Amino acid sequence: DELSNILLEKSIKVAPEHQGVAILINRDYRPNFGDIELFEITRGIWTKGNKTTAGDSKYAYATYKGVVKEVYEIHSWVPAGTQEYFTRFLDEKRLETARWEFVGRKAPKEVRELYIGKIIDKPRSYGSSFIKVGYE
């Protein structure tokens, strides 16, 4: 499905009840990542500007080259380094400027099945790692 979506450039709109933020993980993502690695690079660590863009988003869409790899439910935002990381090293210099991470978990199965492997119809990022989706 993912390959056909890419080849056909078939995209899907995020429903208003699933509004959230598409988080572009292109720089850090590797195809062999497991659940924990994918969650850790998606949830943090982010600048205040990215956290502001996310606002009150309910969902975080981990996207790699436009394709949704996972969907997470955001419970809250906390200072970076508050939560434990098991698969990545937190660079102290980056923590000085990128100070936020979200607390959350995988979205319900019904929501995940709608979006994983699909390309979300979203505006161009213009260099930002966060793009609001599902807001009309």
Side-chain angles (χ1 to χ4, degrees):
D1 283 347
E2 183 175 319
L3 182 57
S4 68
N5 289 330
I6 293 168
L7 293 174
L8 297 173
E9 296 182 7
K10 183 179 173 186
S11 62
I12 185 171
K13 281 195 174 286
V14 172
E17 62 270 20
H18 303 140
Q19 65 189 7
V21 61
I23 300 177
L24 311 182
I25 57 171
N26 295 345
R27 189 187 72 196
D28 298 318
Y29 178 77
R30 301 290 174 267
N32 63 339
F33 274 1
D35 288 346
I36 294 173
E37 289 104 337
L38 184 56
F39 179 60
E40 288 185 355
I41 65 164
T42 305
R43 73 175 164 110
I45 55 180
W46 303 107
T47 64
K48 183 177 180 180
N50 285 336
K51 178 187 173 283
T52 302
T53 299
D56 61 352
S57 294
K58 183 174 181 181
Y59 295 103
Y61 297 84
T63 61
Y64 175 71
K65 296 193 176 180
V67 178
V68 177
K69 295 298 182 180
E70 189 57 84
V71 183
Y72 301 102
E73 208 169 15
I74 299 172
H75 295 291
S76 63
W77 286 88
V78 296
T82 303
Q83 303 299 299
E84 189 169 1
Y85 285 84
F86 299 98
T87 63
R88 71 184 280 198
F89 170 75
L90 294 184
D91 180 2
E92 292 299 322
K93 283 189 175 187
R94 187 164 177 210
L95 281 172
E96 291 174 13
T97 58
R99 299 186 176 132
W100 296 97
E101 62 193 13
F102 70 83
V103 176
R105 63 178 178 185
K106 282 185 181 177
K109 182 179 177 184
E110 311 80 58
V111 175
R112 295 172 61 237
E113 287 177 347
L114 289 172
Y115 302 104
I116 292 176
K118 305 218 170 58
I119 300 168
I120 293 178
D121 184 19
K122 61 187 179 320
R124 188 170 168 205
S125 72
Y126 294 101
S128 174
S129 298
F130 282 41
I131 304 166
K132 286 188 161 220
V133 294
Y135 293 85
E136 296 291 314

